[in-house]
Amino acid sequence: MTTPLPSWPPRHADRRTSASRMAVPREPLDPARTGRRWVRRRARGMTADAAVAALDVAPFDTQQNSRFEDLAGDERGPAERGEWEWIARLLADAPPGTAYDPDTDDVVRAELTADAREAGLRELGA
């Protein structure tokens, strides 16, 4: 004699609430901020020449993205290009051979401080 297969989904008498699996509210997505952070990760360790080369490619990427309907009005492309311009200027003013490090960039540190302050205020308000 064969044993019957268990029912699917399993039936348990002690149903638990899914409170531990509830979605946590997140901050809204900011495409421009995402683009700037992507550029900073890419630029880590780049010299001035490499940053200028990346800046030369940025308009092409923005133009390619504009061909897609869902990306045509996206702020990410212009934000990425602006960040490449900032990094290229920063490295052009630095001594030769200096590599970009977002951890030492004052603009990045100010942005992270503002983000932490906003997160603290959201936490207090929640």
Side-chain angles (χ1 to χ4, degrees), residues 61-82:
D61 292 339
T62 303
Q63 181 184 10
Q64 292 293 71
N65 287 342
S66 71
R67 295 176 187 215
F68 297 101
E69 187 175 329
D70 59 329
L71 298 176
D74 195 19
E75 304 106 22
R76 182 173 173 165
E80 287 179 5
R81 184 173 181 186

Side-chain angles (χ1 to χ4, degrees), residues 102-121:
D103 298 332
T104 59
D105 190 348
D106 293 334
V107 173
V108 174
R109 284 197 262 164
E111 185 178 301
L112 291 175
T113 303
D115 290 348
R117 184 173 42 249
E118 288 175 14
L121 291 174

Side-chain angles (χ1 to χ4, degrees), residues 76-90:
R76 182 173 173 165
E80 287 179 5
R81 184 173 181 186
E83 194 66 21
W84 280 122
E85 289 172 355
W86 162 252
I87 292 170
R89 266 192 316 240
L90 186 69

Side-chain angles (χ1 to χ4, degrees), residues 46-56 88 91-92 97-98:
M46 281 189 177
T47 60
D49 295 335
V52 168
L55 176 60
D56 289 342
L91 291 174
T98 302

